[in-house]
Amino acid sequence: MLRAEPEKSRAWVQLAPGQRLGWWARLQEDLQAAIEHDPAVRSKAELVLGYPGLHAIWSHRLCHALWTRGHRLIARLLSQWTRAVTGIEIHPGATIGRRFFIDHGMGVVIGETAEVGDDVMLYHDVTLGGRSLAKVKRHPTVEDGVTIGAGARVLGPITIGRGAQVGANAVVVRDVPAGSVVVGVPGKVRERPAPVPPEEEFAVDPAIWI
């Protein structure tokens, strides 16, 4: 659902070209992103111990590092173990940016050639899938700041533009412009309404609830 953006509790670390974020700073970013996206969070200990979406992305970072270094069997086996534990399947070849958050998580599938930017949020049962059996770029590119609602299917080498929102259970097979909302089967782009405060959420078109 579209709502006023929450105020960031701290500024994110800005990196110079070629600079890499250390593992501890990235861990803290992940925790802070989860806090800002999930009002049910009570403590960082709860996040570290009990959030499968975080466990899946932390495992993926290790799997992706192994994959890019040529240790592909080990990466694949570890990713399958993570799938069994969390219910979230992220192919080791997928590229995922900073502050990625998966809420609930069960049933999420992210394909090998998917590219996910920074500050992206997925709800449960989302698929970033392919529509081709060819060994080419066949999965979506999801740009920064995108939110994808529960049960949505984003299929093929399409681009979901920066800041877009994909409604729950939408099936998206074409590019989505930046800052827009796409809903329905097949997905159709709608004009994005202005954000609303929480007390006025009942007035928002339910078709864009995520």
Side-chain angles (χ1 to χ4, degrees), residues 7 60 73 196:
E7 293 185 6
H60 171 73
L73 177 58
V196 296

Side-chain angles (χ1 to χ4, degrees), residues 60-197:
H60 171 73
R61 293 198 183 121
L62 174 58
C63 293
H64 186 68
L66 291 168
W67 183 267
T68 56
R69 289 166 174 77
H71 305 294
R72 298 198 166 184
L73 177 58
I74 297 174
R76 201 76 169 95
L77 294 176
L78 178 57
S79 73
Q80 289 301 297
W81 178 84
T82 303
R83 173 182 180 269
V85 171
T86 65
I88 298 168
E89 181 172 346
I90 308 175
H91 193 284
T95 302
I96 296 180
R98 295 166 61 187
R99 300 180 295 274
F100 179 57
F101 181 58
I102 303 174
D103 197 7
H104 302 295
M106 182 62 70
V108 167
V109 176
I110 300 176
E112 177 186 5
T113 61
E115 299 175 63
V116 179
D118 298 337
D119 303 299
V120 170
M121 180 176 181
L122 307 185
Y123 287 88
H124 54 281
D125 200 30
V126 166
T127 298
L128 304 183
R131 293 185 290 133
S132 170
L133 298 180
K135 293 183 179 296
V136 295
K137 164 69 171 168
R138 59 191 185 280
H139 298 102
T141 296
V142 179
E143 295 186 344
D144 297 349
V146 169
T147 301
I148 302 180
R153 307 290 186 251
V154 184
L155 306 174
I158 62 175
T159 298
I160 309 299
R162 184 185 181 96
Q165 293 192 351
V166 177
N169 295 312
V171 177
V172 186
V173 294
R174 295 181 180 176
D175 291 346
V176 175
S180 62
V181 172
V182 60
V183 297
V185 182
K188 296 182 180 179
V189 175
R190 292 190 178 182
E191 181 180 354
R192 183 168 183 167
V196 296

Side-chain angles (χ1 to χ4, degrees), residues 2-82:
L2 291 181
R3 64 183 69 187
E5 293 292 332
E7 293 185 6
K8 296 289 188 293
S9 59
R10 68 178 181 83
W12 300 120
V13 176
Q14 300 297 316
L15 299 179
Q19 183 182 2
R20 298 185 64 182
L21 194 66
W23 71 269
W24 180 251
R26 175 160 284 194
L27 175 68
Q28 294 300 314
E29 274 199 339
D30 291 336
L31 296 176
Q32 190 61 36
I35 290 169
E36 292 178 2
H37 282 101
D38 187 354
V41 173
R42 294 176 178 82
S43 69
K44 288 188 176 180
E46 180 183 21
L47 285 172
V48 171
L49 297 173
Y51 270 61
L54 288 174
H55 301 158
I57 186 59
W58 291 337
S59 175
H60 171 73
R61 293 198 183 121
L62 174 58
C63 293
H64 186 68
L66 291 168
W67 183 267
T68 56
R69 289 166 174 77
H71 305 294
R72 298 198 166 184
L73 177 58
I74 297 174
R76 201 76 169 95
L77 294 176
L78 178 57
S79 73
Q80 289 301 297
W81 178 84
T82 303

